[in-house]
Structure formats: structure tokens, C-alpha cells
Amino acid sequence: MNAEQAVAELKARDREIYLLNHCSAILGWDQETYLPEKGVDERAEQLAFLRKLNHERETDPAVADLLASAGADDGNPMGVASLPPLDRAFLRVRWRDYQHATRLPTELVVKIASVTSKARSAWVDARRDSSFKKFQPHLEEIVELLLEVADRLGYVDHPYDALLDQYEPWAKTAEITAVFDDLRARLVPLVRRICDAPPIDASFLSGKFPVDKQRAFSERVLAKLGFETGRGRLDVSEHPFTTTLGLDDVRITTRFNEQFFNSAVFGTIHEAGHAFYEMGFNRDFAGTRLADSISLGIHESQSRFWENVVGRGRAFWSHFYPALRDQFPERLGSVSEEEFYRAINIVEPSLIRVEADEVTYCLHIILRFNLEKALVSRALSVKDLPEAWREQSREMLGVVPETEADGVLQDIHWSMGAFGYFPTYALGNLYAAQFTTALKSDIPDFDAKIGAGEFAPILSWLRSKIHLHGNSKTANELCEDITGSSLSSDFFVEYLTEKYTDVYGLR
Amino acid sequence: MNAEQAVAELKARDREIYLLNHCSAILGWDQETYLPEKGVDERAEQLAFLRKLNHERETDPAVADLLASAGADDGNPMGVASLPPLDRAFLRVRWRDYQHATRLPTELVVKIASVTSKARSAWVDARRDSSFKKFQPHLEEIVELLLEVADRLGYVDHPYDALLDQYEPWAKTAEITAVFDDLRARLVPLVRRICDAPPIDASFLSGKFPVDKQRAFSERVLAKLGFETGRGRLDVSEHPFTTTLGLDDVRITTRFNEQFFNSAVFGTIHEAGHAFYEMGFNRDFAGTRLADSISLGIHESQSRFWENVVGRGRAFWSHFYPALRDQFPERLGSVSEEEFYRAINIVEPSLIRVEADEVTYCLHIILRFNLEKALVSRALSVKDLPEAWREQSREMLGVVPETEADGVLQDIHWSMGAFGYFPTYALGNLYAAQFTTALKSDIPDFDAKIGAGEFAPILSWLRSKIHLHGNSKTANELCEDITGSSLSSDFFVEYLTEKYTDVYGLR
């Protein structure tokens, strides 16, 4: 079998995996939205069964033979040079996924599932009692298992590379460390300057915002942004998410808090950003794993772009605020557009990551990234984690949690063994800012377009530059193709400095 | 391998089929309720893929070997006599399903799919233009294909036996003909007597019934009947249905017509009857095909029982009417309970089956049953079908359709090749009445219980006598176990005669 035939066969085999992934997504979506309470157990069995069918196909030894026939191996995952570029890009992803799916022995996967399952409930208890001690032995076991995972997956420089690569393919710890160190060095003084400025009043964002009106407003925003309801839906779930159930079926969820305006609207815009990405893959990729996102970081760049760069921008609200005020006259009737704009951009160093603003958010991430790296390199032992957390929090955010529940125990990720996941959130912000610079140079009247409610040119730019390429580029290739350089914190720092100098009247 | 081991292996293999069936049900449910418009094409692909996975498992040649090891064959589908009765019942179903899945060659199945797909759109056009001629060549092709299906599936007495058996396992054309002939002979004079009685006013059931109030009332009824919301849901779809997505996940749908009261409430009660059945299988059967209904006829007996025997009964409304009148004071404020009860039981020979009352309904079915049999035995040719329809309609219902759209073209079933399906609707009415006689002898204060809103003893009787047994009995075995005799039209005729003598003040 020659390389072309091997690629064709691998693509044909992708079709069943593609359909199974979407079937699982349908079951998963239903589970978070409409599943009756007692249906949970069998749903877990159904999902496990589909996962098994998928795993059989992902790890079929015939795939290894086909990859070999196409010339894809450790030293050259893209296969023989004579293949068309998109086929080589496909091989690179297929090769990588095969390694990830086959390098961990089944016993290790089962062990991790069992340990993290217990760790998750231990974490719930520990957090409730604000007692890290209850979680410590579980986390110690997880760190040991993750070191074995790293060994099995393989790495050159740092065991954390192997873990990070699961969520941010091809990313390297050293590169991210350099970017984050630089970011931190410039963010901390910016946060200080903001904290020294007169505080902003955002009290009117709390109070009664009737859910049906929030929903109507969210749907209005979605429609205006270009969310195609013939190809997607908005539903309600406890934790907002985006999921792809089919080529033309991408669904988002949000959650409504009657007492706080921000949750639903900004959550909806955030998820819409994810959905636009999933809706925009080249249709020629359908049925193969090229019809997928590049990484969590790039995915997050799309949600953060729409939520923060667009949705928390002045131009956005110059377009939407009059309609919003009409919807909620009791809360916003006497609030000016400027007051509203400043309030939704309030910056406050706080303890809890998920409530953080866009300036301090990355500091929460860098803190976790540093601790994860230290644990994995054995520079820090699990028992010393709470103290290390407090120290870093003091240094970076200037606040120290009084309880472990508000500190080291606040996130679920570690109990799931998801080391390497956190950095992708910050990468999203950085990529979003870097892409925005390129976008604005192509669309110089960016703000005027948004102010006029014309989002189509922006979405169309993202489609052609990012979405369309699916998983055919690496994050770094994409970034260089669009911006001419690798990831840098410059763009994000510049974006924040300019925006918050204005919002807080700094200088 | 001995017979016990073979049964155990067949049951183990059933587990994946069981999970796949539920996965398909989830996709199907979503398709009818929430699927975005453009997601339809890939959903069809996803469902076809799951069907393929299922078919591979249903028709695996290893199943034939296992059935043989268990001693199950044409002459003895229940396997060796030494097996426990429930294992023999399981073998009987497994054997039967294997025959159905393997006796039709793939080319024939593909041909039928292609022909019926074209026939369905031809039927839509023919019905719109009220022109049977446009549908005739398609139906001719379908009849020929169905004769081949009958030959392949096999039959002893009548080719219609083979078709009927697809929907009503083990039923025989000759037996149903005897029952239906008898039923018809007694229904026609009853309908005449009713038509000669003074008409009933039901005009107040049309008019404005706000949808949200209909929904609230339907949910109240569901809760009172014992529908467990932790194990099911009520949603809206164009065509109401019940579907099982898991052991503890049975969902029903209804449709709301703001201008007509009956649709949503009686539709909901009808589907709840189906759902109770699906929710009531013995949990020991879970994961095998014994956790299934016996036949469409028995399924329909459960929906008709709740809809008609209970839901259109006097006792039911003596309990619910005061609350209903409070909900719709403008429409029902001046309508007495007696007037309402008579109105929801109005009898009017009409042209359209789906709008028929419970007295004339079976005549619509017998008409179709007779025509299907005649077509399949070549006693009637397709071109003569419209005239045969008019004749039978005149004889049985006393009305003749002026257009073919209101006559021979009214149902979708024939365009789908679903010959043998119609009789199951009437069988549902007959079984429901026959079971009710037994139920009332066990629960003599049946009406008093309903009047007091106590439905639990009734549901519990159905559970233990019918639902619990899943697919471990044939319809005939079930009927004999419960009522001491085979299916007869006596019980249904007696039920109708008693009820409508009262409703219409006959005699």
C-alpha cells in the first residue's frame, strides 16, 4: 500500500470515529440539559460503551501499519514529503492521537479512573470542610500517577511537557514559562496601579434582572453576532458549555442568575465564541479529525475574544446599551452608558479564579501553572502546597485566602488529574489579543463596525484566518501565519494597558 | 458449549444491543424535539451508523450457533426443555429476532428502503393533489416487494401472516379476521343506534385554551396518574410519541392546540399509558431483549386503557373536572360535568381515522385490514383500491370520502410499506377492554378509586400483571394468563355498549 492509499484508508476509518464522537456529544449534551435524574447511571454506561467503540477504532493496530505505510513516525509525524500538505497535516494529528491512545497501558488508565473518582469525592468533602489534609493523600497519589503518565507519553525536557501536550498539543513548558514570567512581571504593576485608582461602582449589576428578559436579550445578542439558529441552540445547564453534535449542530448553554446581570449575557457571548469556531471548520474536513479545534488555548482565544475584546468593549455597548436599558429600566434606568461600561470592566484582585476580571485572571493561572510544574518536578511536595499557594497569591494578587476552601481547594481540576489544563485558559487571552492586533490591521474600523452592530466582517475574518483551518495547523503555525510571530505577551499587555488606562483614568 | 452457557452468552451479547438501542432512541428523541433544522442530514447518518452497529450484532453468525447450542430452532424456538422458563422465553424472542434480521437479503432491504423513500414523497404529492393515480405505481411496487418479504420471512397459511408478525409477533391472520368480523358485525348496528340518538353538543371544546394552562393541567394529570418525573419527561413534538432512552429514562411528547382542548390532554394520557409500560419491565430483564414490550397491540392496549377507559371515563372527570373548569373559566364556566363528559365522548362516523372516536375507530382499522389482506392475496389490485375503499367506508361507516385525500390517501403507512401495522391499533382497544374486565374483578371499586384520584392500585395491577413480564410472554399467553381466555371482541363490545347506552341515553 502506498502513502496515498494509506492516507485515504485512515480518513475512511476516521468517519466512524467522527460519528461516534458526535453520538457521544448528543448523549453528553442531553445529560447536562434534560436527562431525568434517575437516568444518570445508565447514561454513564451508554457513554462508556460508545467510548469503548471509539477506543477500539482509535487504537486499532491496523492504524499503526497505515501510519507506517504513509511514512509517519516519531521523527516525522507528517509522513512522506510527497503527500499534499493537508494530508500531511492530517497524518500529524492521526499520528499524535494514536500515540496518546496507545502509549498508556489499560491498567494505568483504569487505575487513574479509579483514583481520580475517589479523589473527586474526597475533594468535595475537603472543600466543604476547608481541610486540605483530607485531599492531600489523594493528590499525592495523583501526582505519582501523572509522573508515570508523563514517562509513558514521553518528553524531552520536562515531564510537564507531556501533561501539557494533552490539552495544548505541541506546546512546551519552557516556552510557556518564558511567556508567563514576562506576563506576570508586567501584570502585577498594572494591577497595583488600578488598585490605587478610585474604585468603580458596579452595584447596579446586582439586583433583580428577570430571567425571561435576560434570555430574550441574550438571544438578541446571539442573533446579531451571527449565531445561526438553524445550526445550533441555546439551552440552560448548571455549568455553561459548548458541544458539537454534528457538522451543522453546535449547541451552547448558559445559566441565568436573576440577581446578577453578568453571568448569562457574558457567558452566552463566551460560549458563542466557542461555537463559531466549531461551526466554521472547512466542510471538506468533515468526517475526519481535521474538522476539530487545534487546542484548548486556541479554542479559548475564540471565546475570550468575543466575550472580552468584543463583548466588554465600549463599541459593543454603544450599540446594545440603549436596548438593554429599555429591558431593565428599574436597574439601569439612571445608569449612563459610560457608567455601565466601566462597571462591567471593574478590576478587583480576588481569591476565586472563576470570578476574576480579565486583568487579574491570568495571575490566577500563572499561580497554578507554577505550582503544577513544581509538583511534577518534585521541587514542591504536596503537603507544602497550601503554603506555596498562599505565598504566590500574596505575591501576585496581593490577597491571601483565609481558608483552604477559598485557596488551594477551590478548583476541581487537580482532583481529576487534569494537570496542564489551567495554562490553556491564559493562552486563550494571549492568543485573542495577538489575533486582535492582526484583525484590526485588516479591519481598521473595527470599533465603528461593532458600534454599528456589524459583526459579519469580524466573524468572516475569524472564519477565514482561524476556523476554516480546523486542526490542520499547530497553534504556533496558526499564530505565525496570522501575526507573523510566535506567541508573546506583548499584545495582551498592550491591550489591557490601553483599555484600563482609559477605564480607570490612570496616568 | 451447553445450553445454559449458550443462553448466558446470548444474554451477554444482548447488553451491547440494548445500549445501542437506547443510544439510537436518544438521537431519535432529540431529532423530534430539539434538533436544529440543518442538523437533520448528519443525524440520519448517525442513526444509520448506530443501526449498522446494531445489525452486525443482531445478525452475527455466532448467534445462530449459540441458538443451536441452546436447542432453539424452527420447530422449537424456546430451546431445550430443561432450561428455566424465563430463559426459554428469552430464547424464543432471540430466535425470532434472528430470523427476522437474517431472512431478508441485504439487497431486498436496500431496495425496500429506496422504493419506500420515493413512495413517501409521491404519497405527499398525491395526497396534496388528491390523486391516487400518482401514488398507484409506487404502491404496486411496494405490494410486490412485500410479497417477496412474506416469502422470505415464511408463512404457513397466508402471506399476510408474515407481514402482521413484524408488528404483532405470533398473531395469525385467520384469528384476527375472525375477531374483526365479529367485532364489525356488532359495531355497525351500535354506531347506527348512536347516530339515531339526539346529537351531543361539544362546541365548547373548541375555542381558546391557552397553551401554558393546558401544559400545567397535563402535568398535573401526569403527576396524579403516577408518572415519575425522575424517570421521564414530557416535551413537545409535532407527532406525539413515547420513547425509551434508558432503564430509568422514558420520555413522552405531546402537542398543544390552542384552539382545541382534547389534543394535548388526551394525547398526554395516551402516551403516559405507553410510558408506564416501558417503565415497568422487571429490572432483572435489564440489558436483555426481555426488557421490551410484547407487541404493538399490547403496547396500544396500555395507552388506550389510560386514554379511553380511564381518561374518558365519568369517574376520572368527577375527580378532575372542578380543577379543569377553574383553569378555563371562559370556555367551561357554564358547562356542567355531565355535559363535559358527554362532549368528550361524542361519536360521529367520519372520514379520517386519526380523528375518530372510540366507537367508530375500529371500523376504520377493519377497513384497512380487509384491504391489505385483499391486496396481498391478489384478490384486489392496487388500481381498484380507491373504489374498494369507498365501498367499505359506505358499508361500515355510512360515509363516503368525496376526495381521495380524505379516503385512500389519508394515512402514511402504506407509503412506508407498513402492511400489518394497522390491525395493532384495534387489537389495543380489544386487549384493553378484556384486561379491564379482569382488573375490575380484582379491584371492584375501580370507579370509586378513580373518582378519589387514587390511581396507584390500578397502575400497580397493570405492573404486576402486564408490565413486569416484559417480552417474556406472547400476547396470547398474556391474555390467557390474565383473563382466562384468548382475545375476543366480547369485552370491548360490552364495554362500548354499556358506556354509550348511558352517554347517548339509548334503549
Side-chain angles (χ1 to χ4, degrees):
Chain A
M1 183 177 283
N2 67 28
E4 285 75 17
Q5 289 166 328
V7 169
E9 171 64 17
L10 284 168
K11 284 187 182 170
R13 284 168 172 260
D14 252 21
R15 174 130 217 109
E16 294 202 344
I17 295 172
Y18 179 86
L19 289 171
L20 279 170
N21 282 337
H22 289 164
C23 289
S24 294
I26 297 163
L27 271 61
W29 173 84
D30 182 76
Q31 177 168 340
E32 302 302 324
T33 51
Y34 297 115
L35 182 67
E37 186 192 339
K38 293 188 181 164
V40 172
D41 288 347
E42 195 184 329
R43 184 56 52 86
E45 265 187 81
Q46 293 158 345
L47 279 164
F49 174 59
L50 292 182
R51 212 158 23 237
K52 190 195 93 173
L53 294 178
N54 202 323
H55 186 72
E56 286 166 6
R57 285 158 178 77
E58 285 286 5
T59 60
D60 189 331
V63 171
D65 297 339
L66 290 164
L67 286 167
S69 298
D73 58 37
D74 268 44
N76 175 31
M78 301 188 81
V80 301
S82 61
L83 288 167
L86 281 174
D87 283 349
R88 301 195 74 207
F90 167 75
L91 279 175
R92 174 169 59 184
V93 185
R94 189 68 198 90
W95 176 85
R96 188 181 167 282
D97 289 348
Y98 187 75
Q99 308 313 317
H100 273 267
T102 55
R103 285 188 179 172
L104 303 185
T106 310
E107 313 81 67
L108 179 59
V109 174
V110 169
K111 184 83 198 283
I112 292 170
S114 154
V115 167
T116 55
S117 165
K118 284 173 204 139
R120 208 151 55 239
S121 45
W123 168 75
V124 170
D125 292 349
R127 190 180 185 213
R128 183 199 54 216
D129 302 341
S130 201
S131 160
F132 181 74
K133 277 224 150 43
K134 292 188 176 169
F135 182 50
Q136 184 184 323
H138 297 276
L139 188 56
E140 281 165 349
E141 209 174 353
I142 285 173
V143 170
E144 293 311 311
L145 286 169
L146 289 177
L147 283 169
E148 191 183 340
V149 166
D151 279 341
R152 298 276 189 175
L153 291 178
Y155 59 88
V156 178
D157 296 326
H158 196 298
Y160 194 74
D161 281 349
L163 304 177
L164 180 64
D165 187 76
Q166 299 176 98
Y167 309 101
E168 196 63 25
W170 316 104
K172 294 286 171 265
T173 310
E175 290 165 12
I176 292 185
T177 301
V179 171
F180 280 6
D181 284 350
D182 182 61
L183 177 62
R184 172 189 173 167
R186 298 197 278 173
L187 271 187
V188 170
L190 177 62
V191 172
R192 296 245 164 85
R193 287 173 64 209
I194 291 173
C195 289
D196 290 341
I200 287 174
D201 173 27
S203 57
F204 50 81
L205 296 176
S206 299
K208 189 161 176 167
F209 291 89
V211 166
D212 56 339
K213 289 186 171 185
Q214 286 195 53
R215 184 191 300 265
F217 186 77
S218 295
E219 282 169 357
R220 181 195 178 124
V221 169
L222 274 185
K224 199 81 188 179
L225 296 183
F227 186 87
E228 302 166 66
T229 49
R231 300 181 63 208
R233 299 181 45 85
L234 170 66
D235 291 273
V236 172
S237 70
E238 202 180 324
H239 300 286
F241 65 95
T242 298
T243 180
T244 295
L245 289 68
L247 179 63
D248 290 305
D249 186 1
V250 178
R251 307 189 187 180
I252 64 176
T253 68
T254 193
R255 119 183 94 183
F256 294 97
N257 178 348
E258 198 179 52
Q259 296 301 317
F260 184 49
F261 170 74
N262 295 21
S263 318
V265 170
F266 291 110
T268 303
I269 299 173
H270 179 98
E271 299 305 330
H274 283 305
F276 287 144
Y277 190 13
E278 295 278 329
M279 285 172 162
F281 304 140
N282 190 332
R283 296 184 90 90
D284 292 346
F285 295 167
T288 79
R289 67 193 67 219
L290 286 187
D292 203 349
S293 58
I294 292 174
S295 69
L296 292 185
I298 297 298
H299 226 311
E300 198 70 5
S301 77
Q302 299 308 291
S303 55
R304 300 277 169 147
F305 169 80
W306 286 100
E307 178 191 354
N308 290 333
V309 180
V310 175
R312 290 185 206 268
R314 197 186 282 281
F316 187 86
W317 291 104
S318 89
H319 179 72
F320 281 110
Y321 191 64
L324 183 72
R325 189 157 46 183
D326 285 353
Q327 281 296 304
F328 304 104
E330 287 174 23
R331 299 301 308 151
L332 303 176
S334 61
V335 176
S336 73
E337 189 182 309
E338 182 63 18
E339 288 167 325
F340 178 80
Y341 169 66
R342 295 183 74 211
I344 58 167
N345 285 298
I346 196 167
V347 175
E348 261 170 346
S350 68
L351 298 169
I352 308 298
R353 175 183 61 86
V354 296
E355 295 167 5
D357 54 79
E358 64 174 331
V359 183
T360 59
Y361 189 88
C362 285
L363 295 173
H364 288 270
I365 296 305
I366 295 170
L367 176 157
R368 286 154 178 79
F369 173 71
N370 291 344
L371 296 177
E372 287 184 350
K373 271 194 310 176
L375 286 170
V376 164
S377 61
R378 301 203 190 274
L380 175 69
S381 61
V382 170
K383 73 167 172 20
D384 298 327
L385 191 61
E387 183 48 35
W389 182 291
R390 284 190 289 269
E391 233 172 76
Q392 293 246 344
S393 186
R394 184 184 304 111
E395 279 175 32
M396 280 197 268
L397 290 156
V399 291
V400 180
E402 285 182 18
T403 67
E404 288 173 340
D406 280 349
V408 66
L409 289 171
Q410 71 181 264
D411 299 304
I412 196 174
H413 302 59
W414 290 343
S415 75
M416 298 165 70
F419 277 47
Y421 194 114
F422 281 124
T424 68
Y425 292 128
L427 292 175
N429 284 330
L430 299 179
Y431 280 123
Q434 192 155 341
F435 295 155
T436 301
T437 307
L439 195 168
K440 284 186 172 175
S441 109
D442 288 344
I443 306 179
D445 56 346
F446 178 78
D447 284 324
K449 287 246 177 324
I450 293 176
E454 290 171 27
F455 298 97
I458 296 167
L459 180 53
S460 161
W461 188 93
L462 295 170
R463 283 260 150 94
S464 69
K465 299 284 185 182
I466 301 169
H467 307 172
L468 199 65
H469 303 289
N471 198 7
S472 70
K473 301 183 179 190
T474 65
N476 194 47
E477 286 169 1
L478 182 78
C479 190
E480 291 198 334
D481 287 352
I482 294 176
T483 71
S485 62
S486 308
L487 185 68
S488 150
S489 66
D490 292 352
F491 306 90
F492 185 53
V493 171
E494 198 175 307
Y495 156 77
L496 290 181
T497 306
E498 192 186 336
K499 177 170 176 179
Y500 289 89
T501 296
D502 170 48
V503 167
Y504 274 89
L506 306 181
R507 222 178 306 239
Chain B
M1 184 177 281
N2 67 27
E4 284 75 17
Q5 289 166 328
V7 168
E9 171 64 18
L10 284 169
K11 283 188 184 171
R13 284 167 172 260
D14 252 21
R15 173 131 217 111
E16 295 202 343
I17 295 173
Y18 179 85
L19 289 171
L20 279 169
N21 282 337
H22 288 164
C23 289
S24 295
I26 296 163
L27 272 61
W29 174 83
D30 182 77
Q31 177 168 343
E32 302 302 324
T33 52
Y34 297 116
L35 181 68
E37 187 191 339
K38 293 188 181 165
V40 173
D41 288 347
E42 195 184 328
R43 183 57 52 86
E45 265 188 80
Q46 294 159 344
L47 279 164
F49 174 59
L50 293 182
R51 209 155 28 234
K52 191 195 93 174
L53 294 178
N54 202 324
H55 187 73
E56 286 167 4
R57 286 159 178 76
E58 285 286 6
T59 60
D60 189 330
V63 171
D65 296 340
L66 291 164
L67 286 168
S69 297
D73 57 38
D74 269 44
N76 175 30
M78 301 189 80
V80 299
S82 61
L83 288 166
L86 281 175
D87 284 349
R88 302 195 74 207
F90 166 75
L91 280 175
R92 174 168 59 184
V93 185
R94 189 68 196 90
W95 176 85
R96 190 182 166 281
D97 289 348
Y98 187 75
Q99 307 313 317
H100 273 267
T102 55
R103 286 188 179 172
L104 303 184
T106 309
E107 313 81 66
L108 179 59
V109 173
V110 170
K111 183 83 200 281
I112 291 171
S114 153
V115 166
T116 54
S117 164
K118 284 174 203 140
R120 208 150 57 238
S121 45
W123 169 75
V124 170
D125 293 347
R127 191 182 184 210
R128 183 199 55 217
D129 301 341
S130 200
S131 160
F132 180 75
K133 278 224 149 42
K134 292 187 177 170
F135 181 51
Q136 184 184 323
H138 298 275
L139 188 55
E140 281 165 349
E141 209 174 352
I142 286 172
V143 170
E144 293 311 311
L145 286 169
L146 289 177
L147 283 169
E148 191 182 341
V149 166
D151 279 342
R152 299 277 189 175
L153 292 179
Y155 59 88
V156 177
D157 296 324
H158 197 298
Y160 194 74
D161 281 348
L163 304 178
L164 179 63
D165 187 76
Q166 299 176 97
Y167 309 101
E168 196 64 24
W170 315 106
K172 293 286 172 265
T173 310
E175 289 164 14
I176 293 186
T177 301
V179 172
F180 281 5
D181 284 351
D182 182 61
L183 177 61
R184 171 189 173 165
R186 297 196 279 172
L187 272 188
V188 170
L190 176 62
V191 173
R192 296 247 163 84
R193 286 172 63 210
I194 291 173
C195 289
D196 290 342
I200 287 173
D201 174 27
S203 58
F204 49 81
L205 295 176
S206 300
K208 187 158 177 171
F209 291 89
V211 166
D212 55 339
K213 290 187 172 184
Q214 285 195 54
R215 185 191 300 265
F217 185 76
S218 295
E219 282 169 358
R220 180 196 179 124
V221 169
L222 274 186
K224 198 82 188 178
L225 295 184
F227 186 86
E228 303 165 66
T229 49
R231 300 181 64 208
R233 298 182 45 85
L234 170 66
D235 292 273
V236 172
S237 69
E238 202 180 326
H239 300 285
F241 65 94
T242 298
T243 180
T244 296
L245 289 68
L247 179 63
D248 290 306
D249 186 1
V250 178
R251 307 188 188 181
I252 64 175
T253 68
T254 193
R255 121 183 92 183
F256 294 98
N257 178 349
E258 198 179 53
Q259 295 302 316
F260 184 49
F261 170 76
N262 294 22
S263 317
V265 171
F266 291 111
T268 303
I269 300 172
H270 179 98
E271 299 305 331
H274 283 305
F276 288 143
Y277 189 13
E278 296 277 329
M279 285 173 163
F281 304 139
N282 190 332
R283 296 184 91 89
D284 292 345
F285 295 167
T288 78
R289 67 193 68 219
L290 286 187
D292 203 349
S293 58
I294 292 175
S295 69
L296 292 185
I298 297 298
H299 227 309
E300 198 71 4
S301 78
Q302 299 308 290
S303 55
R304 300 278 169 146
F305 169 79
W306 286 100
E307 178 191 354
N308 290 334
V309 180
V310 176
R312 291 185 205 266
R314 198 186 282 280
F316 186 86
W317 292 103
S318 89
H319 179 72
F320 281 111
Y321 191 65
L324 183 72
R325 188 157 48 183
D326 285 351
Q327 281 295 302
F328 303 103
E330 288 173 22
R331 300 301 307 152
L332 303 177
S334 62
V335 176
S336 74
E337 189 183 309
E338 181 64 18
E339 287 166 326
F340 178 81
Y341 169 66
R342 295 183 74 211
I344 58 167
N345 285 298
I346 195 167
V347 175
E348 260 168 346
S350 68
L351 297 169
I352 308 297
R353 175 183 61 85
V354 296
E355 295 166 5
D357 54 80
E358 63 174 332
V359 183
T360 59
Y361 189 89
C362 285
L363 296 172
H364 289 270
I365 296 304
I366 296 171
L367 176 157
R368 285 153 178 80
F369 173 73
N370 291 343
L371 296 178
E372 286 184 350
K373 271 194 309 177
L375 286 170
V376 165
S377 61
R378 300 203 190 274
L380 175 68
S381 61
V382 171
K383 73 167 172 21
D384 298 326
L385 190 60
E387 183 48 36
W389 182 290
R390 284 190 289 269
E391 233 171 77
Q392 292 246 344
S393 185
R394 184 183 303 111
E395 278 175 32
M396 280 196 268
L397 291 156
V399 290
V400 180
E402 284 183 17
T403 68
E404 287 172 342
D406 280 349
V408 67
L409 289 171
Q410 71 181 263
D411 299 304
I412 196 175
H413 302 57
W414 290 344
S415 76
M416 298 165 71
F419 276 48
Y421 194 115
F422 281 124
T424 68
Y425 293 127
L427 292 176
N429 285 329
L430 299 180
Y431 280 123
Q434 193 155 341
F435 296 155
T436 301
T437 306
L439 195 167
K440 286 186 172 176
S441 111
D442 288 345
I443 305 180
D445 56 347
F446 177 78
D447 284 323
K449 287 247 177 323
I450 293 176
E454 291 170 27
F455 298 97
I458 296 168
L459 180 54
S460 158
W461 188 94
L462 295 170
R463 283 260 149 95
S464 70
K465 299 285 184 179
I466 301 169
H467 307 171
L468 199 65
H469 303 290
N471 198 7
S472 69
K473 301 183 180 191
T474 65
N476 195 46
E477 285 168 0
L478 182 79
C479 191
E480 291 197 336
D481 287 352
I482 294 176
T483 71
S485 61
S486 310
L487 185 69
S488 149
S489 65
D490 292 352
F491 306 90
F492 185 54
V493 171
E494 199 175 306
Y495 156 77
L496 290 181
T497 307
E498 193 188 332
K499 176 171 177 179
Y500 289 90
T501 295
D502 169 48
V503 168
Y504 274 89
L506 306 180
R507 224 176 306 246

